[in-house]
Amino acid sequence: MKIHGRPYRTIWLRPDGWSVEVIDQTLLPFTFATALLTTVDEAAKAILIMQVRGAPLIGATAAYGVALAMHADPSDTNLNLAIAHLAKQRPTAINLRWALDEMRTSLSPLAPGEREARAYARAAEICDEDVENCRRIGMHGLEIIRAIAARKKPGQPVNILTHCNAGWIACVDWGTATSPIYHAHDSGIPVHVWVDETRPRNQGAFLTAYELGAHGVPHTIIVDNAGGHYMQHGQVDLCIVGTDRVTANGDVCNKIGTYLKALAAKDTGVPFYVALPHSTIDWTLHDGRTIPIEERSADEVLRIQGRLPDGTIVTTEIGAPGSKAANPAFDVTPARLVTGLITERGLCAASPEGLLKLYPERAAQAAPAKRMA
Ligand code: MRU
C-alpha cells in the first residue's frame, strides 16, 4: 500500500542482499521511519518491543530473523538457538510458531553451507505468500461488502467496524481485516470505517486510522466502548476483525476487547466476520481457552503517548498514582459469536467442519486427541 504516494511493504530486504528493513511502528502515526535489522537479536527485539506487530508480520520478521542468524553462523546449534530465541518473544500469535516451523523444515535437512541462501529465499516466499493470501482474503471479503452495499440506497456508505490494527501494517501488505475494505474502496463501493481506538496501545487510533487515511478511506476513530452504541443505532453494517490464533474448533483469539464487540454484534444482529490466512490457524488446539494470553506491562495501561502542539512526543501518566493495573493483551471470542471466517480460500463457518471444508488436508492434524479411557 502507499505512504506519501510511494508503495511500501512493511518488511523488505535491503539492497546489500542480507540486512532487513521494517517500518518502525512504535513511531507511528506521528513519525514515519524505518528500522534496520542486522542480527537475530535485533529481529527478536523488534518483535518484543513491537516495532513490528500483528500476527502475519511477526511471523515474517521471525523468518528473516532466522535468515540473519544463518548469515552470521549457519550451524545446527545457531539454527536451534535462533528459533528458540525468536519463538519466545510473543506468546499468542501462532504465526510466529508457524513461520519458525517453516524455516526449520526448510533449513534443518540442508548442509550448513546451503542454509543462508535458502533461509533468505524461504523468508521472501513467506512474505510473498502473505501478500497473496491477504489479497485473496480481500477478494472474498469484498463480496460480503458488495452484498451489503447492494441493499443500501445508492451512495450510502457501508459502515464497517474494526478493532485493533489488522491492516497492511500488521501484515506484509493489504492486511487481513482491511483487505476487503481496501478492495471495496478501490472498486468504488462507498465505505466508512469505525476505528476502535484499541487501548491500551491504541493500535486502532494510531495505526489503522493512519493507514486508512493514507489510502483515502473515510473513517472515524471511536473509543473502545462506543461500538455497541453505534450497533444499537443501526450505524454498523458489519464488523471485520483480524486474529492472532484461531483454534481448530473456530474460536478466535484477537486483541483485548474483540470479545465484547462480538457480544454486542450478536445482540444487535450485526454480522461479525474474522479475516485470517491459514498461518493463523492452530490445528493443535480445540478450545480457545487453552490459548496462551500475553500479559503486558502495567505501564501500557497507566501511561499514554501523545503529541504536544509543538510536535514533541510525550508519555504521560493517566492513572491514579500508586494504583496497580492489569494488561491482558488478547481475549477469545467463542466460535458461536462469529458469523464467518474470511480466509484466502474463501468463507467458512467458524467450526471444525467449516475449517476442514476449506482445509481438508488438515483433517488428520485437526482431529482432537482421543482421551485415555
Ligand atoms: O498486539 P498486536 O498489536 O500485535 O495485536 C495485533 C492484533 O490483535 C491483530 O488484530 C492481529 O494480529 C491480526 S493482524 C492481521
Side-chain angles (χ1 to χ4, degrees):
M1 307 299 288
K2 287 185 181 162
I3 292 179
H4 309 314
R6 185 181 149 187
Y8 275 93
R9 284 186 174 188
T10 49
I11 184 166
W12 60 94
L13 197 62
R14 284 166 56 87
D16 60 20
W18 69 273
S19 64
V20 177
E21 201 164 342
V22 294
I23 297 174
D24 184 347
Q25 301 191 29
T26 58
L27 304 176
L28 291 172
F30 304 118
T31 306
F32 177 83
T34 61
L36 181 61
L37 309 180
T38 61
T39 63
V40 63
D41 285 345
E42 287 174 359
K45 189 172 173 206
I47 294 170
L48 181 71
I49 67 171
M50 294 174 69
Q51 284 178 309
V52 293
R53 43 146 299 284
L57 180 56
I58 290 170
T61 307
Y64 269 117
V66 173
L68 289 167
M70 294 300 92
H71 175 71
D73 167 8
S75 66
D76 282 354
T77 310
N78 200 40
L79 177 60
N80 291 334
L81 278 175
I83 289 175
H85 183 44
L86 288 158
K88 64 182 186 221
Q89 299 308 317
R90 292 199 69 192
T92 303
I94 193 65
N95 303 61
L96 176 57
R97 190 177 83 197
W98 174 84
L100 292 173
D101 286 349
E102 288 291 310
M103 296 303 282
R104 189 192 291 285
T105 305
S106 291
L107 302 180
S108 289
L110 301 181
E114 297 170 337
R115 282 182 182 153
E116 181 184 354
R118 181 68 195 126
Y120 279 101
R122 185 68 193 114
E125 283 166 12
I126 285 174
C127 290
D128 290 346
E129 285 164 15
D130 188 64
V131 175
E132 179 58 11
N133 286 337
C134 286
R135 189 189 69 78
R136 286 169 187 259
I137 287 167
M139 299 307 294
H140 295 301
L142 168 62
E143 296 314 314
I144 299 170
I145 299 175
R146 201 194 293 286
I148 294 172
R151 299 197 294 268
K152 298 204 131 204
K153 292 197 184 111
Q156 267 192 348
V158 177
N159 288 299
I160 303 164
L161 182 141
T162 193
H163 191 69
C164 193
N165 172 255
W168 75 267
I169 286 175
C171 303
V172 180
D173 205 349
W174 285 112
T176 56
T178 57
S179 186
I181 296 168
Y182 289 129
H183 279 89
H185 176 80
D186 291 352
S187 61
I189 299 172
V191 289
H192 165 260
V193 184
W194 296 112
V195 178
D196 281 355
E197 63 175 347
T198 318
R199 281 282 292 147
R201 287 188 68 101
N202 281 336
Q203 287 96 328
F206 283 6
L207 304 175
T208 304
Y210 176 81
E211 62 164 89
L212 291 174
H215 198 74
V217 179
H219 63 279
T220 306
I221 299 170
I222 54 176
V223 298
D224 290 322
N225 296 326
H229 164 78
Y230 284 120
M231 290 186 216
Q232 282 177 326
H233 289 268
Q235 294 186 57
V236 181
D237 296 302
L238 161 77
C239 300
I240 313 180
V241 300
T243 168
D244 287 79
R245 198 184 298 215
V246 170
T247 51
N249 66 317
D251 290 341
V252 169
C253 183
N254 191 45
K255 182 53 56 192
I256 192 77
T258 303
Y259 169 52
L260 294 180
K261 292 299 140 65
L263 280 174
K266 187 77 169 177
D267 188 50
T268 53
V270 171
F272 188 92
Y273 282 94
V274 180
L276 65 142
H278 67 88
S279 48
T280 305
I281 306 168
D282 184 345
W283 298 100
T284 70
L285 296 185
H286 302 270
D287 180 344
R289 289 169 299 186
T290 58
I291 295 173
I293 300 292
E294 180 178 9
E295 181 72 31
R296 294 187 60 86
S297 163
D299 277 355
E300 291 183 350
V301 178
L302 297 172
R303 296 161 193 267
I304 200 161
Q305 196 185 54
R307 183 166 68 178
L308 296 177
D310 70 0
T312 318
I313 307 296
V314 291
T315 301
T316 183
E317 284 182 47
I318 55 166
S323 289
K324 289 195 298 184
N327 188 10
F330 300 94
D331 62 23
V332 174
T333 299
R336 66 188 157 78
L337 299 178
V338 177
T339 307
L341 304 175
I342 311 171
T343 79
E344 75 279 1
R345 292 195 186 174
L347 307 187
C348 71
S351 67
E353 301 75 25
L355 280 164
L356 286 178
K357 217 166 149 187
L358 289 187
Y359 300 97
E361 72 276 19
R362 296 292 188 158
Q365 207 185 347
K370 289 219 170 60
R371 293 237 172 88
M372 301 275 287

